[in-house]
PDB file of all heavy atoms in Angstrom:
ATOM      1  N   ARG A  95      -7.771  79.985   3.931  1.00 98.00           N
ATOM      2  CA  ARG A  95      -8.159  80.873   2.793  1.00 98.00           C
ATOM      3  C   ARG A  95      -6.919  81.787   2.520  1.00 98.00           C
ATOM      4  O   ARG A  95      -6.230  82.181   3.499  1.00 98.00           O
ATOM      5  CB  ARG A  95      -9.342  81.757   3.196  1.00 98.00           C
ATOM      6  CG  ARG A  95     -10.652  81.058   3.249  1.00 98.00           C
ATOM      7  CD  ARG A  95     -11.652  82.043   3.814  1.00 98.00           C
ATOM      8  NE  ARG A  95     -12.926  81.323   3.954  1.00 98.00           N
ATOM      9  CZ  ARG A  95     -13.914  81.399   3.008  1.00 98.00           C
ATOM     10  NH1 ARG A  95     -13.678  82.132   1.862  1.00 98.00           N
ATOM     11  NH2 ARG A  95     -15.040  80.745   3.121  1.00 98.00           N
ATOM     12  N   ARG A  97      -6.603  84.772   2.111  1.00 98.00           N
ATOM     13  CA  ARG A  97      -6.657  86.073   2.719  1.00 98.00           C
ATOM     14  C   ARG A  97      -6.298  86.154   4.174  1.00 98.00           C
ATOM     15  O   ARG A  97      -6.197  87.182   4.808  1.00 98.00           O
ATOM     16  CB  ARG A  97      -8.104  86.679   2.546  1.00 98.00           C
ATOM     17  CG  ARG A  97      -9.116  85.949   3.411  1.00 98.00           C
ATOM     18  CD  ARG A  97     -10.480  86.664   3.204  1.00 98.00           C
ATOM     19  NE  ARG A  97     -11.444  86.024   4.093  1.00 98.00           N
ATOM     20  CZ  ARG A  97     -12.809  86.208   4.017  1.00 98.00           C
ATOM     21  NH1 ARG A  97     -13.267  86.926   2.965  1.00 98.00           N
ATOM     22  NH2 ARG A  97     -13.605  85.682   4.863  1.00 98.00           N
ATOM     23  N   ASP A 118      -4.021  96.334  13.233  1.00 97.00           N
ATOM     24  CA  ASP A 118      -4.235  95.521  12.034  1.00 97.00           C
ATOM     25  C   ASP A 118      -3.979  96.290  10.771  1.00 97.00           C
ATOM     26  O   ASP A 118      -4.501  95.936   9.673  1.00 97.00           O
ATOM     27  CB  ASP A 118      -5.648  95.002  12.054  1.00 97.00           C
ATOM     28  CG  ASP A 118      -5.746  93.625  11.357  1.00 97.00           C
ATOM     29  OD1 ASP A 118      -4.755  92.874  11.319  1.00 97.00           O
ATOM     30  OD2 ASP A 118      -6.829  93.235  10.880  1.00 97.00           O
ATOM     31  N   GLY A 120      -0.409  97.831  10.363  1.00 96.00           N
ATOM     32  CA  GLY A 120       0.994  98.149  10.333  1.00 96.00           C
ATOM     33  C   GLY A 120       1.400  99.439  11.001  1.00 96.00           C
ATOM     34  O   GLY A 120       2.516  99.962  10.652  1.00 96.00           O
ATOM     35  N   ALA A 121       0.618  99.963  11.866  1.00 96.00           N
ATOM     36  CA  ALA A 121       0.938 101.228  12.451  1.00 96.00           C
ATOM     37  C   ALA A 121       1.387 101.169  13.915  1.00 96.00           C
ATOM     38  O   ALA A 121       1.835 102.108  14.503  1.00 96.00           O
ATOM     39  CB  ALA A 121      -0.262 102.202  12.361  1.00 96.00           C
ATOM     40  N   THR A 126       4.218  92.157  16.082  1.00 98.00           N
ATOM     41  CA  THR A 126       5.555  91.794  15.671  1.00 98.00           C
ATOM     42  C   THR A 126       5.987  90.404  15.997  1.00 98.00           C
ATOM     43  O   THR A 126       5.863  89.929  17.171  1.00 98.00           O
ATOM     44  CB  THR A 126       6.652  92.778  16.255  1.00 98.00           C
ATOM     45  OG1 THR A 126       6.246  94.070  15.937  1.00 98.00           O
ATOM     46  CG2 THR A 126       8.030  92.481  15.741  1.00 98.00           C
ATOM     47  N   GLU A 132      14.198  87.668  11.514  1.00 98.00           N
ATOM     48  CA  GLU A 132      13.913  89.075  11.227  1.00 98.00           C
ATOM     49  C   GLU A 132      12.519  89.508  11.690  1.00 98.00           C
ATOM     50  O   GLU A 132      11.531  88.770  11.498  1.00 98.00           O
ATOM     51  CB  GLU A 132      14.004  89.435   9.714  1.00 98.00           C
ATOM     52  CG  GLU A 132      15.414  89.457   9.190  1.00 98.00           C
ATOM     53  CD  GLU A 132      15.437  90.080   7.802  1.00 98.00           C
ATOM     54  OE1 GLU A 132      14.395  90.104   7.122  1.00 98.00           O
ATOM     55  OE2 GLU A 132      16.608  90.503   7.341  1.00 98.00           O
ATOM     56  N   ARG A 133      12.461  90.699  12.267  1.00 98.00           N
ATOM     57  CA  ARG A 133      11.164  91.143  12.777  1.00 98.00           C
ATOM     58  C   ARG A 133      10.284  91.732  11.698  1.00 98.00           C
ATOM     59  O   ARG A 133      10.767  92.399  10.820  1.00 98.00           O
ATOM     60  CB  ARG A 133      11.410  92.189  13.893  1.00 98.00           C
ATOM     61  CG  ARG A 133      12.298  93.370  13.484  1.00 98.00           C
ATOM     62  CD  ARG A 133      12.402  94.424  14.605  1.00 98.00           C
ATOM     63  NE  ARG A 133      13.450  95.328  14.234  1.00 98.00           N
ATOM     64  CZ  ARG A 133      13.664  96.522  14.830  1.00 98.00           C
ATOM     65  NH1 ARG A 133      12.740  96.878  15.760  1.00 98.00           N
ATOM     66  NH2 ARG A 133      14.672  97.294  14.519  1.00 98.00           N
ATOM     67  N   ASN A 135       5.795  92.885  10.782  1.00 98.00           N
ATOM     68  CA  ASN A 135       4.438  93.019  11.251  1.00 98.00           C
ATOM     69  C   ASN A 135       3.588  91.841  10.657  1.00 98.00           C
ATOM     70  O   ASN A 135       3.320  91.840   9.529  1.00 98.00           O
ATOM     71  CB  ASN A 135       3.869  94.317  10.772  1.00 98.00           C
ATOM     72  CG  ASN A 135       4.563  95.534  11.226  1.00 98.00           C
ATOM     73  OD1 ASN A 135       5.176  96.269  10.509  1.00 98.00           O
ATOM     74  ND2 ASN A 135       4.528  95.725  12.534  1.00 98.00           N
ATOM     75  N   CYS A 137       0.507  91.335  10.892  1.00 98.00           N
ATOM     76  CA  CYS A 137      -0.832  91.726  10.358  1.00 98.00           C
ATOM     77  C   CYS A 137      -0.866  92.018   8.843  1.00 98.00           C
ATOM     78  O   CYS A 137      -1.833  91.884   8.245  1.00 98.00           O
ATOM     79  CB  CYS A 137      -1.334  92.938  11.166  1.00 98.00           C
ATOM     80  SG  CYS A 137      -0.586  94.546  10.802  1.00 98.00           S
ATOM     81  N   LEU A 138       0.269  92.551   8.316  1.00 98.00           N
ATOM     82  CA  LEU A 138       0.332  93.008   6.959  1.00 98.00           C
ATOM     83  C   LEU A 138       0.814  91.893   6.032  1.00 98.00           C
ATOM     84  O   LEU A 138       1.528  92.203   5.097  1.00 98.00           O
ATOM     85  CB  LEU A 138       1.075  94.266   6.768  1.00 98.00           C
ATOM     86  CG  LEU A 138       0.481  95.562   7.318  1.00 98.00           C
ATOM     87  CD1 LEU A 138       1.331  96.774   6.910  1.00 98.00           C
ATOM     88  CD2 LEU A 138      -0.934  95.756   6.665  1.00 98.00           C
ATOM     89  N   GLN A 143       2.072  83.304   2.162  1.00 97.00           N
ATOM     90  CA  GLN A 143       3.346  83.765   1.641  1.00 97.00           C
ATOM     91  C   GLN A 143       4.576  83.259   2.507  1.00 97.00           C
ATOM     92  O   GLN A 143       5.700  83.365   2.071  1.00 97.00           O
ATOM     93  CB  GLN A 143       3.430  85.272   1.618  1.00 97.00           C
ATOM     94  CG  GLN A 143       2.530  85.898   0.492  1.00 97.00           C
ATOM     95  CD  GLN A 143       2.972  87.375   0.303  1.00 97.00           C
ATOM     96  OE1 GLN A 143       2.601  88.236   1.015  1.00 97.00           O
ATOM     97  NE2 GLN A 143       3.819  87.597  -0.758  1.00 97.00           N
ATOM     98  N   GLU A 193      19.881  92.928  14.369  1.00 98.00           N
ATOM     99  CA  GLU A 193      20.193  93.845  13.268  1.00 98.00           C
ATOM    100  C   GLU A 193      21.387  94.745  13.665  1.00 98.00           C
ATOM    101  O   GLU A 193      22.297  94.905  12.856  1.00 98.00           O
ATOM    102  CB  GLU A 193      18.976  94.844  13.044  1.00 98.00           C
ATOM    103  CG  GLU A 193      17.826  94.135  12.349  1.00 98.00           C
ATOM    104  CD  GLU A 193      16.489  94.938  12.513  1.00 98.00           C
ATOM    105  OE1 GLU A 193      16.564  96.187  12.881  1.00 98.00           O
ATOM    106  OE2 GLU A 193      15.407  94.408  12.255  1.00 98.00           O
ATOM    107  N   GLY A 197      25.480  95.028  12.210  1.00 96.00           N
ATOM    108  CA  GLY A 197      26.078  96.321  11.746  1.00 96.00           C
ATOM    109  C   GLY A 197      25.081  97.189  11.041  1.00 96.00           C
ATOM    110  O   GLY A 197      25.490  98.156  10.410  1.00 96.00           O
ATOM    111  N   GLU A 204      25.053 108.564  13.008  1.00 93.00           N
ATOM    112  CA  GLU A 204      25.859 109.745  12.550  1.00 93.00           C
ATOM    113  C   GLU A 204      26.760 109.287  11.405  1.00 93.00           C
ATOM    114  O   GLU A 204      26.831 110.014  10.401  1.00 93.00           O
ATOM    115  CB  GLU A 204      26.632 110.275  13.751  1.00 93.00           C
ATOM    116  CG  GLU A 204      27.093 111.724  13.534  1.00 93.00           C
ATOM    117  CD  GLU A 204      25.880 112.657  13.445  1.00 93.00           C
ATOM    118  OE1 GLU A 204      24.832 112.469  14.226  1.00 93.00           O
ATOM    119  OE2 GLU A 204      25.908 113.526  12.508  1.00 93.00           O
ATOM    120  N   HIS A 205      27.389 108.178  11.479  1.00 94.00           N
ATOM    121  CA  HIS A 205      28.281 107.728  10.406  1.00 94.00           C
ATOM    122  C   HIS A 205      27.822 106.361   9.910  1.00 94.00           C
ATOM    123  O   HIS A 205      28.004 105.321  10.532  1.00 94.00           O
ATOM    124  CB  HIS A 205      29.750 107.693  10.954  1.00 94.00           C
ATOM    125  CG  HIS A 205      30.241 109.006  11.343  1.00 94.00           C
ATOM    126  ND1 HIS A 205      30.488 110.065  10.458  1.00 94.00           N
ATOM    127  CD2 HIS A 205      30.444 109.543  12.577  1.00 94.00           C
ATOM    128  CE1 HIS A 205      30.868 111.143  11.162  1.00 94.00           C
ATOM    129  NE2 HIS A 205      30.880 110.839  12.438  1.00 94.00           N
ATOM    130  N   LEU A 206      27.296 106.388   8.727  1.00 94.00           N
ATOM    131  CA  LEU A 206      26.615 105.235   8.208  1.00 94.00           C
ATOM    132  C   LEU A 206      27.572 103.994   7.986  1.00 94.00           C
ATOM    133  O   LEU A 206      27.212 102.860   8.067  1.00 94.00           O
ATOM    134  CB  LEU A 206      26.003 105.483   6.872  1.00 94.00           C
ATOM    135  CG  LEU A 206      24.779 106.375   6.825  1.00 94.00           C
ATOM    136  CD1 LEU A 206      24.398 106.811   5.407  1.00 94.00           C
ATOM    137  CD2 LEU A 206      23.612 105.723   7.521  1.00 94.00           C
ATOM    138  N   GLU A 219      14.937 105.132  18.348  1.00 98.00           N
ATOM    139  CA  GLU A 219      14.700 105.166  16.878  1.00 98.00           C
ATOM    140  C   GLU A 219      14.480 103.795  16.288  1.00 98.00           C
ATOM    141  O   GLU A 219      13.523 103.561  15.538  1.00 98.00           O
ATOM    142  CB  GLU A 219      15.924 105.826  16.141  1.00 98.00           C
ATOM    143  CG  GLU A 219      15.999 105.672  14.634  1.00 98.00           C
ATOM    144  CD  GLU A 219      14.716 106.160  13.858  1.00 98.00           C
ATOM    145  OE1 GLU A 219      14.076 107.106  14.354  1.00 98.00           O
ATOM    146  OE2 GLU A 219      14.403 105.552  12.825  1.00 98.00           O
ATOM    147  N   SER A 222      11.058 102.480  17.048  1.00 98.00           N
ATOM    148  CA  SER A 222       9.870 103.436  16.816  1.00 98.00           C
ATOM    149  C   SER A 222       8.652 102.726  16.180  1.00 98.00           C
ATOM    150  O   SER A 222       7.598 103.299  16.168  1.00 98.00           O
ATOM    151  CB  SER A 222      10.317 104.552  16.068  1.00 98.00           C
ATOM    152  OG  SER A 222      10.566 104.235  14.671  1.00 98.00           O
ATOM    153  N   ASN A 224       7.178 100.293  17.396  1.00 98.00           N
ATOM    154  CA  ASN A 224       6.347  99.656  18.418  1.00 98.00           C
ATOM    155  C   ASN A 224       5.777 100.760  19.385  1.00 98.00           C
ATOM    156  O   ASN A 224       6.534 101.350  20.133  1.00 98.00           O
ATOM    157  CB  ASN A 224       7.203  98.701  19.239  1.00 98.00           C
ATOM    158  CG  ASN A 224       7.518  97.484  18.487  1.00 98.00           C
ATOM    159  OD1 ASN A 224       8.538  97.481  17.711  1.00 98.00           O
ATOM    160  ND2 ASN A 224       6.743  96.430  18.535  1.00 98.00           N
TER     161      ASN A 224
ATOM    162  N   MET B 217     -11.830  91.368   4.100  1.00 95.00           N
ATOM    163  CA  MET B 217     -11.181  91.318   2.788  1.00 95.00           C
ATOM    164  C   MET B 217     -11.930  90.287   1.888  1.00 95.00           C
ATOM    165  O   MET B 217     -12.275  89.239   2.329  1.00 95.00           O
ATOM    166  CB  MET B 217      -9.781  90.846   3.001  1.00 95.00           C
ATOM    167  CG  MET B 217      -8.846  91.035   1.760  1.00 95.00           C
ATOM    168  SD  MET B 217      -7.249  90.263   2.005  1.00 95.00           S
ATOM    169  CE  MET B 217      -6.477  91.170   3.364  1.00 95.00           C
ATOM    170  N   ASP B 219     -12.426  87.469  -0.863  1.00 97.00           N
ATOM    171  CA  ASP B 219     -11.638  86.350  -1.220  1.00 97.00           C
ATOM    172  C   ASP B 219     -10.991  86.510  -2.593  1.00 97.00           C
ATOM    173  O   ASP B 219     -11.471  87.202  -3.427  1.00 97.00           O
ATOM    174  CB  ASP B 219     -12.494  85.061  -1.189  1.00 97.00           C
ATOM    175  CG  ASP B 219     -12.634  84.468   0.214  1.00 97.00           C
ATOM    176  OD1 ASP B 219     -11.581  84.417   0.939  1.00 97.00           O
ATOM    177  OD2 ASP B 219     -13.798  84.120   0.610  1.00 97.00           O
ATOM    178  N   TYR B 222      -5.004  82.540  -5.151  1.00 98.00           N
ATOM    179  CA  TYR B 222      -3.581  82.788  -4.870  1.00 98.00           C
ATOM    180  C   TYR B 222      -2.726  81.890  -5.765  1.00 98.00           C
ATOM    181  O   TYR B 222      -2.957  80.712  -5.884  1.00 98.00           O
ATOM    182  CB  TYR B 222      -3.302  82.436  -3.472  1.00 98.00           C
ATOM    183  CG  TYR B 222      -1.825  82.461  -3.059  1.00 98.00           C
ATOM    184  CD1 TYR B 222      -1.127  83.651  -2.710  1.00 98.00           C
ATOM    185  CD2 TYR B 222      -1.096  81.273  -3.015  1.00 98.00           C
ATOM    186  CE1 TYR B 222       0.151  83.628  -2.330  1.00 98.00           C
ATOM    187  CE2 TYR B 222       0.244  81.248  -2.711  1.00 98.00           C
ATOM    188  CZ  TYR B 222       0.885  82.441  -2.354  1.00 98.00           C
ATOM    189  OH  TYR B 222       2.234  82.481  -2.021  1.00 98.00           O
ATOM    190  N   GLY B 245       4.408  91.513  -3.198  1.00 98.00           N
ATOM    191  CA  GLY B 245       5.714  91.324  -2.772  1.00 98.00           C
ATOM    192  C   GLY B 245       5.699  91.265  -1.260  1.00 98.00           C
ATOM    193  O   GLY B 245       5.146  90.360  -0.657  1.00 98.00           O
ATOM    194  N   THR B 248       3.084  95.100   2.320  1.00 97.00           N
ATOM    195  CA  THR B 248       2.836  96.140   3.384  1.00 97.00           C
ATOM    196  C   THR B 248       1.825  97.173   2.920  1.00 97.00           C
ATOM    197  O   THR B 248       1.220  97.744   3.799  1.00 97.00           O
ATOM    198  CB  THR B 248       4.125  96.815   3.814  1.00 97.00           C
ATOM    199  OG1 THR B 248       4.702  97.404   2.611  1.00 97.00           O
ATOM    200  CG2 THR B 248       5.147  95.868   4.409  1.00 97.00           C
ATOM    201  N   ASP B 252      -3.016  95.932   3.181  1.00 97.00           N
ATOM    202  CA  ASP B 252      -3.761  96.963   3.841  1.00 97.00           C
ATOM    203  C   ASP B 252      -4.882  97.486   2.942  1.00 97.00           C
ATOM    204  O   ASP B 252      -6.031  97.628   3.347  1.00 97.00           O
ATOM    205  CB  ASP B 252      -2.808  98.173   4.160  1.00 97.00           C
ATOM    206  CG  ASP B 252      -3.301  99.061   5.267  1.00 97.00           C
ATOM    207  OD1 ASP B 252      -4.142  98.664   6.034  1.00 97.00           O
ATOM    208  OD2 ASP B 252      -2.878 100.264   5.270  1.00 97.00           O
ATOM    209  N   ARG B 255      -7.606  94.989   2.542  1.00 97.00           N
ATOM    210  CA  ARG B 255      -8.390  94.871   3.783  1.00 97.00           C
ATOM    211  C   ARG B 255      -9.410  96.025   3.845  1.00 97.00           C
ATOM    212  O   ARG B 255     -10.485  95.903   4.319  1.00 97.00           O
ATOM    213  CB  ARG B 255      -7.547  94.924   5.005  1.00 97.00           C
ATOM    214  CG  ARG B 255      -8.159  94.400   6.269  1.00 97.00           C
ATOM    215  CD  ARG B 255      -7.142  94.260   7.386  1.00 97.00           C
ATOM    216  NE  ARG B 255      -6.379  92.966   7.290  1.00 97.00           N
ATOM    217  CZ  ARG B 255      -5.167  92.795   7.622  1.00 97.00           C
ATOM    218  NH1 ARG B 255      -4.434  93.764   8.099  1.00 97.00           N
ATOM    219  NH2 ARG B 255      -4.574  91.649   7.426  1.00 97.00           N
ATOM    220  N   ASP B 266       1.953  85.843  -6.199  1.00 98.00           N
ATOM    221  CA  ASP B 266       3.016  85.987  -5.239  1.00 98.00           C
ATOM    222  C   ASP B 266       4.352  85.882  -6.025  1.00 98.00           C
ATOM    223  O   ASP B 266       4.688  84.914  -6.641  1.00 98.00           O
ATOM    224  CB  ASP B 266       2.991  84.907  -4.171  1.00 98.00           C
ATOM    225  CG  ASP B 266       3.968  85.092  -3.072  1.00 98.00           C
ATOM    226  OD1 ASP B 266       4.779  85.955  -3.107  1.00 98.00           O
ATOM    227  OD2 ASP B 266       3.881  84.304  -2.061  1.00 98.00           O
ATOM    228  N   HIS B 293      17.527  95.756   3.629  1.00 98.00           N
ATOM    229  CA  HIS B 293      18.733  95.202   3.135  1.00 98.00           C
ATOM    230  C   HIS B 293      19.462  96.204   2.204  1.00 98.00           C
ATOM    231  O   HIS B 293      20.710  96.273   2.207  1.00 98.00           O
ATOM    232  CB  HIS B 293      18.519  93.851   2.386  1.00 98.00           C
ATOM    233  CG  HIS B 293      17.957  92.791   3.301  1.00 98.00           C
ATOM    234  ND1 HIS B 293      17.673  91.570   2.810  1.00 98.00           N
ATOM    235  CD2 HIS B 293      17.631  92.822   4.591  1.00 98.00           C
ATOM    236  CE1 HIS B 293      17.217  90.845   3.851  1.00 98.00           C
ATOM    237  NE2 HIS B 293      17.162  91.588   4.897  1.00 98.00           N
ATOM    238  N   ARG B 301      25.698 102.470   1.502  1.00 97.00           N
ATOM    239  CA  ARG B 301      26.069 103.297   2.603  1.00 97.00           C
ATOM    240  C   ARG B 301      27.250 104.146   2.248  1.00 97.00           C
ATOM    241  O   ARG B 301      27.370 105.274   2.751  1.00 97.00           O
ATOM    242  CB  ARG B 301      26.399 102.460   3.818  1.00 97.00           C
ATOM    243  CG  ARG B 301      25.208 101.891   4.461  1.00 97.00           C
ATOM    244  CD  ARG B 301      25.433 100.603   5.234  1.00 97.00           C
ATOM    245  NE  ARG B 301      26.127 100.870   6.572  1.00 97.00           N
ATOM    246  CZ  ARG B 301      26.301  99.920   7.454  1.00 97.00           C
ATOM    247  NH1 ARG B 301      25.819  98.688   7.216  1.00 97.00           N
ATOM    248  NH2 ARG B 301      26.903 100.124   8.581  1.00 97.00           N
ATOM    249  N   SER B 316       8.858 101.798   9.540  1.00 98.00           N
ATOM    250  CA  SER B 316       9.476 101.248  10.779  1.00 98.00           C
ATOM    251  C   SER B 316      10.424 100.122  10.374  1.00 98.00           C
ATOM    252  O   SER B 316      10.359  99.678   9.169  1.00 98.00           O
ATOM    253  CB  SER B 316       8.434 100.674  11.725  1.00 98.00           C
ATOM    254  OG  SER B 316       7.866  99.476  11.185  1.00 98.00           O
ATOM    255  N   ALA B 317      11.261  99.734  11.278  1.00 98.00           N
ATOM    256  CA  ALA B 317      12.185  98.579  10.926  1.00 98.00           C
ATOM    257  C   ALA B 317      11.466  97.322  10.449  1.00 98.00           C
ATOM    258  O   ALA B 317      11.875  96.609   9.548  1.00 98.00           O
ATOM    259  CB  ALA B 317      13.105  98.298  12.175  1.00 98.00           C
ATOM    260  N   GLN B 318      10.341  97.041  11.174  1.00 98.00           N
ATOM    261  CA  GLN B 318       9.533  95.858  10.773  1.00 98.00           C
ATOM    262  C   GLN B 318       9.084  95.941   9.355  1.00 98.00           C
ATOM    263  O   GLN B 318       9.176  95.043   8.504  1.00 98.00           O
ATOM    264  CB  GLN B 318       8.320  95.675  11.668  1.00 98.00           C
ATOM    265  CG  GLN B 318       8.681  95.211  13.084  1.00 98.00           C
ATOM    266  CD  GLN B 318       8.703  96.392  14.037  1.00 98.00           C
ATOM    267  OE1 GLN B 318       9.326  97.459  13.729  1.00 98.00           O
ATOM    268  NE2 GLN B 318       8.109  96.268  15.178  1.00 98.00           N
ATOM    269  N   LEU B 319       8.553  97.087   8.953  1.00 98.00           N
ATOM    270  CA  LEU B 319       7.995  97.341   7.610  1.00 98.00           C
ATOM    271  C   LEU B 319       9.127  97.331   6.592  1.00 98.00           C
ATOM    272  O   LEU B 319       9.012  96.790   5.504  1.00 98.00           O
ATOM    273  CB  LEU B 319       7.222  98.635   7.515  1.00 98.00           C
ATOM    274  CG  LEU B 319       5.930  98.613   8.331  1.00 98.00           C
ATOM    275  CD1 LEU B 319       5.322 100.015   8.500  1.00 98.00           C
ATOM    276  CD2 LEU B 319       4.888  97.739   7.642  1.00 98.00           C
ATOM    277  N   ASN B 321      11.807  95.640   6.729  1.00 98.00           N
ATOM    278  CA  ASN B 321      12.246  94.221   6.615  1.00 98.00           C
ATOM    279  C   ASN B 321      11.354  93.488   5.590  1.00 98.00           C
ATOM    280  O   ASN B 321      11.676  92.525   5.080  1.00 98.00           O
ATOM    281  CB  ASN B 321      12.234  93.505   7.922  1.00 98.00           C
ATOM    282  CG  ASN B 321      13.487  93.735   8.708  1.00 98.00           C
ATOM    283  OD1 ASN B 321      14.492  94.163   8.261  1.00 98.00           O
ATOM    284  ND2 ASN B 321      13.410  93.478  10.065  1.00 98.00           N
ATOM    285  N   MET B 322      10.048  93.926   5.479  1.00 98.00           N
ATOM    286  CA  MET B 322       9.100  93.270   4.590  1.00 98.00           C
ATOM    287  C   MET B 322       9.077  93.956   3.200  1.00 98.00           C
ATOM    288  O   MET B 322       9.042  93.218   2.196  1.00 98.00           O
ATOM    289  CB  MET B 322       7.752  93.443   5.213  1.00 98.00           C
ATOM    290  CG  MET B 322       7.605  92.891   6.626  1.00 98.00           C
ATOM    291  SD  MET B 322       6.073  93.473   7.418  1.00 98.00           S
ATOM    292  CE  MET B 322       4.856  92.444   6.565  1.00 98.00           C
ATOM    293  N   SER B 452       9.939 110.046  14.566  1.00 97.00           N
ATOM    294  CA  SER B 452      10.206 108.784  13.751  1.00 97.00           C
ATOM    295  C   SER B 452       8.846 108.240  13.374  1.00 97.00           C
ATOM    296  O   SER B 452       7.867 108.537  13.972  1.00 97.00           O
ATOM    297  CB  SER B 452      11.024 107.838  14.591  1.00 97.00           C
ATOM    298  OG  SER B 452      11.330 106.705  13.883  1.00 97.00           O
ATOM    299  N   TYR B 453       8.904 107.306  12.361  1.00 97.00           N
ATOM    300  CA  TYR B 453       7.723 106.491  12.039  1.00 97.00           C
ATOM    301  C   TYR B 453       6.528 107.463  11.644  1.00 97.00           C
ATOM    302  O   TYR B 453       5.496 107.279  12.257  1.00 97.00           O
ATOM    303  CB  TYR B 453       7.348 105.573  13.193  1.00 97.00           C
ATOM    304  CG  TYR B 453       6.529 104.355  12.837  1.00 97.00           C
ATOM    305  CD1 TYR B 453       6.310 103.982  11.556  1.00 97.00           C
ATOM    306  CD2 TYR B 453       5.917 103.633  13.838  1.00 97.00           C
ATOM    307  CE1 TYR B 453       5.522 102.913  11.220  1.00 97.00           C
ATOM    308  CE2 TYR B 453       5.103 102.503  13.541  1.00 97.00           C
ATOM    309  CZ  TYR B 453       4.943 102.179  12.247  1.00 97.00           C
ATOM    310  OH  TYR B 453       4.166 101.056  11.962  1.00 97.00           O
ATOM    311  N   ARG B 539      24.312 121.917   5.446  1.00 98.00           N
ATOM    312  CA  ARG B 539      24.947 120.777   6.236  1.00 98.00           C
ATOM    313  C   ARG B 539      25.918 120.031   5.387  1.00 98.00           C
ATOM    314  O   ARG B 539      27.005 119.698   5.874  1.00 98.00           O
ATOM    315  CB  ARG B 539      23.785 119.858   6.684  1.00 98.00           C
ATOM    316  CG  ARG B 539      24.254 118.738   7.547  1.00 98.00           C
ATOM    317  CD  ARG B 539      24.238 119.047   9.048  1.00 98.00           C
ATOM    318  NE  ARG B 539      25.059 118.121   9.809  1.00 98.00           N
ATOM    319  CZ  ARG B 539      24.553 116.998  10.387  1.00 98.00           C
ATOM    320  NH1 ARG B 539      23.217 116.659  10.213  1.00 98.00           N
ATOM    321  NH2 ARG B 539      25.319 116.187  11.070  1.00 98.00           N
ATOM    322  N   ALA B 546      26.838 111.638   5.588  1.00 89.00           N
ATOM    323  CA  ALA B 546      26.878 110.838   6.808  1.00 89.00           C
ATOM    324  C   ALA B 546      27.592 109.521   6.547  1.00 89.00           C
ATOM    325  O   ALA B 546      27.522 108.580   7.407  1.00 89.00           O
ATOM    326  CB  ALA B 546      25.438 110.592   7.289  1.00 89.00           C
TER     327      ALA B 546
END
Side-chain angles (χ1 to χ4, degrees):
Chain A
R95 285 171 184 269
R97 70 181 185 192
D118 211 24
T126 304
E132 281 195 342
R133 51 180 168 161
N135 298 113
C137 73
L138 286 186
Q143 288 198 279
E193 288 161 14
E204 205 56 45
H205 299 290
L206 291 171
E219 164 59 28
S222 72
N224 292 84
Chain B
M217 192 189 297
D219 276 316
Y222 171 86
T248 56
D252 199 25
R255 199 170 278 146
D266 187 353
H293 297 182
R301 284 155 77 170
S316 69
Q318 289 96 314
L319 291 166
N321 278 341
M322 304 165 75
S452 184
Y453 200 13
R539 181 91 198 271

